[in-house]
Amino acid sequence: MSAVPAMGLACAVIGLAGCADKADQPRSLAGADPARGLVVIKRAGCASCHAVPGVRWPAGATAASLDGFGDRPLISGRLPNQPDTLVRFIRDAPSLDPQTAMPPMPVTEAEARHVAAYLYTLR
Ligand code: HEC
């Protein structure tokens, strides 16, 4: 994970307001509703692969638990954990990282925004 200190340095030097590794930075998605995101998560079956706080069953173990995701600086340890990137990752992760085992998910852009808003409540 050598990318993390490097990004931290870039943030310190450039002073970007929304820098990717500021895990305590509020991440807002205008108009997105975390409660609707949880409904989408249940319907889409994210929990068949991920343990997701708020979803009692199933609690899949083929992928990382999403508990605490809102505090992670990176998505899958590689991509900046920022709203636009997360929304795209949720819908079509392979378009961002061809090596990823996270499949494209059949959710709309609006649904993915709700999901992202929910994931950012997981601190
Ligand atoms: C078929 C299994 C599967 C399903 C279904 C699935 N995922 Fe994933 N997901 C993965 C795998 C595997 C990874 C790890 C990818 C990697 O590291 O490249 C991942 C990674 C992630 C990450 C990054 C986690 C981290 O700690 O950085 C998020 C966020 C995520 N998935 C959200 C979702 C959401 C939201 C849904 C439902 C819309 C979903 N996933 C459905 C398998 C799945």
Side-chain angles (χ1 to χ4, degrees), residues 10 13 18-19 26 31-32 37 48 52-53 57 70 75 80-81 87-88 91-92 97 99 102-103 107 110 112 120 123:
V13 171
C19 224
S48 64
V52 185
W57 184 91
I75 304 168
N81 189 1
V87 167
R88 183 163 163 200
R91 296 191 70 195
D92 190 4
D97 178 359
Q99 305 295 317
M102 164 84 184
V107 295
Y120 284 144
R123 310 298 300 262

Side-chain angles (χ1 to χ4, degrees), residues 46 49-50 63 69 72 74-76 78 89 100-103 115:
C46 311
C49 292
H50 297 276
F69 181 76
R72 287 178 212 163
L74 298 172
I75 304 168
S76 283
R78 290 185 290 280
F89 183 89
T100 189
M102 164 84 184
V115 169

Side-chain angles (χ1 to χ4, degrees), residues 2 14 17-18 27 29 36 45 49 53 56 70-72 75 78 82 84 96-97 107 119:
S2 59
I14 304 167
R27 297 182 175 110
L29 290 106
R36 290 173 71 177
C49 292
R56 209 176 310 161
D71 283 329
R72 287 178 212 163
I75 304 168
R78 290 185 290 280
Q82 292 183 326
D84 290 350
L96 291 167
D97 178 359
V107 295
L119 295 182

